[in-house]
Amino acid sequence: CPTYVNLHDENDSPRGRLVLMRRLLDGELALDNSDVGEHLDRCLGCRACETACPSGVPYGQLLEATRATMQTVRPVPPVARFRATRLPAWLARRVPKRLAFPLAMLASSAPVKFARTKRGEVRRAASGVSGASTITAASGATTATASSTATTPATVVLLQGCVMRGLFSHTNAATARVMQRAGYSVESVTGQACCGALHAHAGDLEGARELARINIAAFERAPGALIAVNSAGCGAMLKEYAHLLHDDAQWHDRASAVAARVRDVSELLAQGDTILDVVRDATATAAPDAPRLRITYDPPCHLMHAQRITREPLAVLGTLPNVDLIALADADQCCGSAGIYNLVEPDTSDAVLEPKLRNIHDTRADFVATGNPGCLMQIGAGLLRSGSTTRAVHPIELLDAALGD
């Protein structure tokens, strides 16, 4: 538990918070108790405790339910509603420059620029990066053949997301290109909304349920396709739609059917040897003496702890040519982003982020890859403010650069 590790208070541990939840339920503590609210607000919701718990306690669901119950006397903070809209993306280009960390977070959402050399290598075109920062790539790589994808579904639809669509549209575009190169037919589905994760984490379960119904109806328009998600938090939310709507007789079965089709992009790309074959074909003419790139991977909490996906992202990154994949110490620890947490609990968020930045620095990596927008901005902002030349990037963008045109 990152808050217990940093604050050393039993009330800020999973055990302590569960005791507080039970005392609220039993009426021993009032719903408007400020001390209880403080300790529950400090929870990152990273769900690392679920991975560690031998009893399988669904802590994340209990936390969301408790926050929703307390919402009757403790309204959702305005910043929570604001962050879940499209306004941040609009204001990102208009806020005063003195807002250091928010600006650094926004800067971290900018696409990484690559420059292809005559030898077919992809070099990061950012200042302060050594000439060794290259990914070998070749243009004209062939799309996977039908036989190589025979064991995988042929059609996927991509969750657009609100933050991903507003600030990481370049990552969505890269995801579509990579999926197509891996042999998938990528279709678009209109009418999508925010996944509802930020609402649920803040205790606004009714708002989350309404958004879930919108998305379920949208994805039902493509009943034969899997739903590819490139945001760990969104993927975890979609996979739990059935639980979110468990008391809704009209929508529960529909939610179950949609949730069963949700896959993180790494799950789809790691099936069989499809993407490995595509990358191998794309880089077959690469110069054997091309400089090597150092990459480390930081698993998003909602991919590792909520979805329990750990092997697939590393397998996908392992296909990249001329790359040294460096293990990150304490990679299972949260970065401190956690939706709106870095806005409502900035001091604790910074305390959680600091050891993450030290560990990334120790890897001497050119890139730290992570598959969640909040993590990309949180870690990226910390790196920028510390003067590091390491850049946070989505794994799919590295793969897209390696595959070339």
Side-chain angles (χ1 to χ4, degrees), residues 9 57 82 91 93-94 106 122 129 134 151 164 175 193 208 211 213 240 244 264 293 302 309 332 335 387:
D9 187 334
V57 175
F82 172 77
L91 289 174
R93 303 170 183 85
R94 296 166 175 84
L106 293 171
V122 173
V129 179
T134 57
T151 60
M164 293 300 296
T175 301
L211 291 168
R213 294 183 186 103
E240 295 185 354
L244 183 66
D264 184 76
L293 189 74
H302 279 80
I309 296 173
D332 60 336
C335 69

Side-chain angles (χ1 to χ4, degrees), residues 32-387:
D32 60 354
N33 185 295
S34 60
D35 290 335
V36 174
E38 180 180 10
H39 293 302
L40 292 180
D41 287 345
R42 283 178 179 170
C43 180
L44 288 146
C46 69
R47 298 171 66 170
C49 53
E50 293 187 20
T51 303
C53 180
S55 301
V57 175
Y59 177 88
Q61 295 174 0
L62 294 172
L63 177 66
E64 290 177 358
T66 303
R67 285 176 170 170
T69 301
M70 296 181 72
Q71 190 189 95
T72 59
V73 295
R74 294 179 79 242
V76 176
V79 69
R81 297 186 182 278
F82 172 77
R83 182 83 175 256
T85 69
R86 297 185 186 180
L87 282 176
W90 183 81
L91 289 174
R93 303 170 183 85
R94 296 166 175 84
V95 294
K97 292 184 178 181
R98 65 179 179 272
L99 300 177
F101 200 82
L103 280 175
M105 291 183 70
L106 293 171
S108 298
S109 69
V112 175
K113 295 182 179 180
F114 298 97
R116 188 162 287 113
T117 69
K118 292 181 179 180
R119 292 202 306 173
E121 298 161 5
V122 173
R123 187 183 304 273
R124 196 177 98 177
S127 60
V129 179
S130 69
S133 300
T134 57
I135 304 174
T136 303
S139 60
T142 58
T143 300
T145 62
S147 60
S148 68
T149 60
T151 60
T152 61
T155 304
V156 298
V157 292
L158 178 64
L159 174 74
Q160 294 298 318
C162 49
V163 176
M164 293 300 296
R165 178 173 50 204
L167 294 176
F168 290 89
S169 59
H170 54 280
T171 306
N172 280 355
T175 301
R177 288 192 295 269
V178 171
M179 296 302 294
Q180 289 170 338
R181 296 290 286 274
Y184 290 94
S185 173
V186 180
E187 296 184 357
S188 60
V189 170
T190 59
Q192 296 182 43
C194 170
C195 71
L198 292 178
H199 300 71
H201 299 337
D204 183 12
L205 290 181
E206 284 307 314
R209 290 181 182 117
E210 185 57 35
L211 291 168
R213 294 183 186 103
I214 294 172
N215 284 323
I216 290 167
F219 288 121
E220 285 176 338
R221 300 189 187 109
L226 289 180
I227 302 166
V229 185
N230 56 16
S231 165
C234 298
M237 188 71 226
L238 264 66
K239 289 181 178 181
E240 295 185 354
Y241 271 180
H243 171 77
L244 183 66
L245 296 168
H246 67 279
D247 287 333
D248 191 325
Q250 180 180 354
W251 287 89
H252 177 263
D253 289 346
R254 298 169 67 180
S256 297
V258 167
R261 295 158 50 199
V262 177
R263 302 288 188 278
D264 184 76
V265 292
S266 67
E267 292 183 273
L268 296 171
L269 295 175
Q271 293 187 74
D273 294 326
T274 300
I275 197 65
L276 179 63
D277 291 341
V278 172
V279 174
R280 186 184 294 116
D281 290 345
T283 59
T285 59
D289 60 340
R292 299 186 67 81
L293 189 74
R294 293 177 67 87
I295 295 175
T296 192
Y297 172 66
D298 187 60
C301 292
H302 279 80
L303 195 62
M304 170 177 275
H305 302 306
Q307 300 187 57
R308 306 295 175 92
I309 296 173
T310 57
R311 180 191 62 82
E312 290 85 349
L314 290 170
V316 171
L317 288 171
T319 65
L320 294 171
N322 293 323
V323 161
D324 292 323
L325 194 56
I326 313 300
L328 180 65
D330 294 329
D332 60 336
Q333 282 289 300
C334 184
C335 69
S337 174
I340 64 167
Y341 190 90
N342 52 11
L343 297 180
V344 297
E345 298 285 343
D347 292 339
T348 308
S349 178
D350 286 346
V352 173
L353 175 61
E354 185 178 354
K356 179 74 68 178
L357 295 177
R358 287 199 304 267
N359 291 333
I360 293 172
H361 173 77
D362 290 345
T363 67
R364 297 182 291 110
D366 300 292
F367 292 105
V368 52
T370 188
N372 191 65
C375 304
L376 284 166
M377 291 190 288
Q378 173 84 347
I379 295 172
L383 292 170
L384 286 173
R385 292 184 69 195
S386 70

Side-chain angles (χ1 to χ4, degrees), residues 14-31 36 40 59 62-63 66 70:
R15 296 178 301 272
R17 292 187 178 111
L18 288 169
V19 170
L20 294 175
M21 292 179 202
R22 183 54 187 259
R23 294 185 68 186
L24 288 172
L25 181 64
D26 291 341
E28 297 176 19
L29 292 172
L31 291 177
V36 174
L40 292 180
Y59 177 88
L62 294 172
L63 177 66
T66 303
M70 296 181 72

